[in-house]
Amino acid sequence: MASRVTFDTRQFDDRMREFRRRIMTGYVKGMARALGQLLSDCTMEPPTTPKDTGTLRGSGSYFVNNKLIATTEEASAGDPEANPTPATTDSVALDPNKVIGRAGFNTSYAKKVHEVPMNFQEPDAGNKYMEAKMRAHGAEYIETAATIAKAETGM
């Protein structure tokens, strides 16, 4: 005669769902902080985002899971010629098991200025201003996101 043993895992399952919710919330917060730091670094560390009128610097924005977190419009404040147009919507295909962050600058010439070496007015400005930050600080940005996720879970 076979014996049958059953376990009630509802409490465990509920706790695992709560843990997953908390860690995903933490990663969203951490990704937002890391992307904010990336765009700040683009303005503060050479090679910096080039500035003529401030339109390019003021057109930065970052998103986490298609939600606008912030823009860099304040970077062009005080310049009457600046006409920043930061992106305000994003439409990346989402996966409920991933946190997706995107940052960038939203002008018709942003890609060219990033990719093609040019002579800029500011001595610290240069092309590859985002790529250089990802190479120099990519591990730090990931660590920022992970640290905030851990803190959110109480780990």
Side-chain angles (χ1 to χ4, degrees):
M1 175 173 205
S3 297
R4 185 174 167 156
V5 177
T6 60
F7 294 96
D8 182 355
T9 62
R10 287 178 290 189
Q11 186 177 17
F12 174 79
D13 294 341
D14 289 344
R15 287 184 178 173
M16 287 303 292
R17 276 189 288 279
E18 174 60 15
F19 179 77
R20 183 184 184 293
R21 185 196 65 74
R22 288 172 59 191
I23 200 159
M24 292 302 280
T25 297
Y27 274 123
V28 166
K29 289 178 181 179
M31 178 71 75
R33 175 87 54 84
L35 291 174
Q37 187 62 52
L38 167 63
L39 288 187
S40 175
D41 290 347
C42 285
T43 301
M44 304 305 292
E45 291 182 16
T48 61
T49 308
K51 181 181 179 190
D52 181 15
T53 64
T55 298
L56 178 60
R57 281 192 187 172
S59 74
S61 53
Y62 55 103
F63 300 82
V64 177
N65 290 347
N66 291 337
K67 180 182 178 212
L68 176 65
I69 304 300
T71 70
T72 61
E73 283 184 278
E74 73 281 352
S76 62
D79 193 328
E81 294 182 42
N83 184 25
T85 55
T88 56
T89 61
D90 198 22
S91 59
V92 171
L94 298 179
D95 178 332
N97 297 309
K98 294 180 181 177
V99 174
I100 299 173
R102 294 199 338 162
F105 294 88
N106 187 47
T107 66
S108 59
Y109 54 88
K111 182 177 179 180
K112 181 178 180 181
V113 170
H114 186 269
E115 297 301 318
V116 179
M118 300 176 185
N119 291 320
F120 299 107
Q121 291 180 2
E122 290 186 321
D124 286 342
N127 70 315
K128 304 290 187 181
Y129 46 89
M130 289 188 80
E131 185 178 323
K133 304 320 175 286
M134 291 300 295
R135 285 187 177 159
H137 304 297
E140 294 168 41
Y141 300 146
I142 291 168
E143 183 63 28
T144 294
T147 298
I148 292 172
K150 287 177 188 177
E152 189 72 23
T153 61
M155 295 175 69

